[in-house]
Amino acid sequence: MSGYGQFCPMAKAMELLDERWTLLVVRELLLGSAHFNDLRRGVPKMSPALLSKRLKSLTRAGVVERTEIDGRATYSLTPCGQDLAGVVNALTVWGMRWIGDVGDADLDPHLLFWDIRRTIEIDDWPRSRTTLAFVLDGVSAKASRWWLVVSNGQADVCDFDPGYEVTATVDTSLRVLTQIWRGDVDWSHAILEGSVTVFGPTEIRRAVPKWLGQGRGTRIATPA
């Protein structure tokens, strides 16, 4: 039997939502991902076939709407799906409060920089093109160099040198940068203790923590 066999509304909801990856796909849609490849970047360890399957089941359930714009599939949440924002936020707060352990298998530079790229406050950055380079310890050599480029009101992240002049370089470990992004450690503490070093002109070094900030989950979980 695929369902729980209970009339309880929570049980009926969980028949759809407790399938592996489903709520993470909803999270990505809530964060603005609208195309298949963007969704994949938000759930990089999910297979394309399973992502396609989950999108179809969410569409059948009326949670997701699929449309085509210029021949390209676009996904968005229906009012039913948007109503899950409170559920996703509540789980984020609960996870921040009660699930503190992050194992090595949970650390993923691709997911981290994808979330940084879509979360930073562009208005806090200089109007001219600004490039931050990141040198990460604790990862394989091919995943240890990253570049974040902000230009013309848009942010992009590269795992190869884009060839632009580097404004500043952030030297840290993947674990520490993830902890900062999660809100487990703040920028000032990490810099003071030496687990993060920012190289560049003095005024730029001071500005980098504000430019990058911390993840959305930190904002949600911080008491008002």
Side-chain angles (χ1 to χ4, degrees):
M1 183 168 59
S2 59
Y4 289 106
Q6 294 189 5
F7 62 82
C8 166
M10 179 180 175
K12 298 306 295 179
M14 292 304 291
E15 288 177 2
L16 172 69
L17 298 177
D18 75 348
E19 288 188 305
R20 185 171 173 81
W21 296 104
T22 295
L23 274 178
L24 296 186
V25 173
V26 172
R27 177 199 68 189
E28 290 306 304
L29 290 163
L30 284 167
L31 291 174
S33 293
H35 301 111
F36 193 85
N37 286 339
D38 290 342
L39 288 165
R40 284 204 64 201
R41 293 185 75 174
V43 284
K45 295 181 181 179
M46 185 181 189
S47 73
L50 185 56
L51 174 57
S52 180
K53 181 178 179 180
R54 292 292 183 265
L55 287 170
K56 288 177 181 177
S57 65
L58 288 169
T59 301
R60 286 195 301 269
V63 175
V64 169
E65 181 180 21
R66 182 187 185 277
T67 56
E68 286 200 11
I69 299 176
D70 296 329
R72 187 182 186 189
T74 300
Y75 299 92
S76 61
L77 292 169
T78 65
C80 165
Q82 290 287 346
D83 209 26
L84 287 169
V87 175
V88 172
N89 290 349
L91 284 170
T92 300
V93 171
W94 187 87
M96 291 292 297
R97 186 173 298 158
W98 298 108
I99 310 295
D101 293 337
V102 176
D104 290 342
D106 300 320
L107 303 177
D108 186 333
H110 298 86
L111 176 58
L112 175 61
F113 280 102
W114 173 245
D115 201 38
I116 290 174
R117 173 241 180 219
R118 68 183 174 187
T119 302
I120 56 173
E121 297 289 348
I122 299 294
D123 290 342
D124 291 338
W125 288 65
R127 300 281 74 82
S128 57
R129 183 170 59 211
T130 304
T131 303
L132 295 186
F134 294 80
V135 180
L136 300 182
D137 188 20
V139 294
S140 64
K142 66 180 181 180
S144 65
R145 300 294 300 270
W146 294 80
W147 289 262
L148 179 64
V149 182
V150 175
S151 180
N152 298 319
Q154 300 291 326
D156 199 10
V157 65
C158 308
D159 58 359
F160 57 88
D161 189 344
Y164 302 131
E165 180 180 358
V166 172
T167 308
T169 299
V170 179
D171 192 337
T172 186
S173 69
L174 175 58
R175 176 170 289 279
V176 169
L177 189 57
T178 301
Q179 288 173 332
I180 292 172
W181 197 245
R182 277 173 42 92
D184 301 325
V185 179
D186 62 36
W187 278 102
S188 59
H189 178 77
I191 291 172
L192 184 63
E193 71 171 11
S195 59
V196 173
T197 303
V198 181
F199 298 96
T202 301
E203 66 277 12
I204 298 297
R205 295 201 310 268
R206 293 172 177 168
V208 164
K210 180 182 179 183
W211 293 349
L212 292 171
Q214 291 177 296
R216 284 188 177 92
T218 305
R219 303 171 199 175
I220 293 170
T222 301

